[in-house]
Amino acid sequence: MKEKINSENLPQHIAVIMDGNGRWAKKKGALRVFGHKHAVKAVRDVTEASAELGVKYLTLYAFSTENWSRPKAEVEALMKLLVSTIRKEVKTLIKNNVKLQSIGNTHDLPKVCQRELEEAKTLTKDNTGLTLILALSYSGRWDILNAVKNIANAVKSGEINPDAIDSNLFSKYLSTDKIPDPELMIRTSGEMRVSNFLLWQLAYSEIYISPILWP
Ligand code: IPE
Ligand code: IPE
Ligand code: MG
């Protein structure tokens, strides 16, 4: 595949909705959590391939605001998996010059997840290769509402004039400030939905839906 890719014409930013873990597990006659565990390998492969190709930003939708309403046991398993994966993979991220970032309402995550995430971000902050952005407790509407609240406060305190609000200024208040919009959005498992992912940022992204299940 690598020979077929024109490195002069790579997207700078690829965003991925990693979907289909549950269906993949079901096909194997296993529990959904089995699918989430196997999804980690696909995350590793896609991250390594992106870094190797020279993609600058890779955003992975790992947990949505809506995913909090899944059964408690599944949510807990996902949070545990997040902690163990970050802990295990941080060395590889450093080795591959990958910088870890996150978007989303991460204060909602269990304390141990927050700590592990912050530590990994600090350890990789000076890396200059791929920036891997995990969307955690993220939704596009949350991102937009958060921006609106912060802009409203800035207007109230006189910091910004309402007439100065344009799409450029608005973008700066989103969690993706300083990150270019994705040129490409990939969703696995065939669903033709955006599922509250980067609603503002996907305005002009090409969309590729693959029938293949994420794991
Ligand atoms: C994506 O796989 C992973 C998360 C949303 C955390 P799903 O768990 O949505 O799997 P399906 O879509 O039910 O197969
Ligand atoms: C989107 O997948 C969220 C993530 C991949 C984290 P979902 O499986 O949660 O989305 P819906 O429910 O099919 O829209
Ligand atoms: Mg799904």
Side-chain angles (χ1 to χ4, degrees), residues 107-123:
H107 296 296
D108 282 353
L109 300 172
K111 286 277 170 304
V112 53
C113 287
Q114 294 185 40
R115 231 180 299 133
E116 211 60 47
L117 188 63
E118 285 316 311
E119 202 175 304
K121 281 191 209 167
T122 309
L123 286 167

Side-chain angles (χ1 to χ4, degrees), residues 17-19 61-64 67 70 187 191 193 195:
I17 302 178
M18 309 185 287
D19 196 21
Y61 204 5
F63 195 84
S64 72
N67 289 153
R70 290 194 179 190
R187 180 170 189 154
E191 302 299 340
R193 281 197 291 285
S195 295

Side-chain angles (χ1 to χ4, degrees), residues 5-158:
I5 296 172
N6 176 3
S7 58
E8 304 287 294
N9 196 24
L10 278 178
Q12 280 196 86
H13 183 178
I14 302 175
V16 186
I17 302 178
M18 309 185 287
D19 196 21
N21 300 351
R23 276 164 280 176
W24 185 86
K26 196 176 174 195
K27 267 188 161 176
K28 306 244 166 214
L31 296 172
R32 297 177 59 80
V33 174
F34 183 70
H36 296 317
K37 284 192 178 144
H38 274 262
V40 176
K41 191 190 172 310
V43 170
R44 199 184 297 133
D45 289 349
V46 167
T47 305
E48 262 177 42
S50 303
E52 194 181 326
L53 285 170
V55 171
K56 290 305 292 172
Y57 301 91
L58 174 68
T59 300
L60 301 178
Y61 204 5
F63 195 84
S64 72
T65 306
E66 289 72 24
N67 289 153
W68 287 114
S69 52
R70 290 194 179 190
K72 193 165 167 264
E74 188 178 350
V75 172
E76 277 173 9
L78 281 165
M79 293 301 141
K80 260 197 179 159
L81 199 58
L82 180 64
V83 172
S84 64
T85 305
I86 297 175
R87 205 171 276 165
K88 250 188 267 162
E89 298 300 325
V90 71
K91 273 200 211 96
T92 316
L93 295 180
I94 295 168
K95 192 185 90 203
N96 292 334
N97 197 20
V98 176
K99 183 187 342 203
L100 185 71
Q101 289 189 351
S102 66
I103 53 172
N105 198 2
T106 48
H107 296 296
D108 282 353
L109 300 172
K111 286 277 170 304
V112 53
C113 287
Q114 294 185 40
R115 231 180 299 133
E116 211 60 47
L117 188 63
E118 285 316 311
E119 202 175 304
K121 281 191 209 167
T122 309
L123 286 167
T124 60
K125 73 174 173 19
D126 296 322
N127 290 347
T128 54
L130 172 75
T131 299
L132 172 65
I133 303 148
L134 295 181
L136 292 165
S137 192
Y138 179 88
S139 71
R141 286 183 179 175
W142 166 84
D143 204 357
I144 291 168
L145 289 172
N146 204 43
V148 168
K149 281 184 207 165
N150 289 326
I151 291 171
N153 280 322
V155 168
K156 203 170 145 197
S157 68

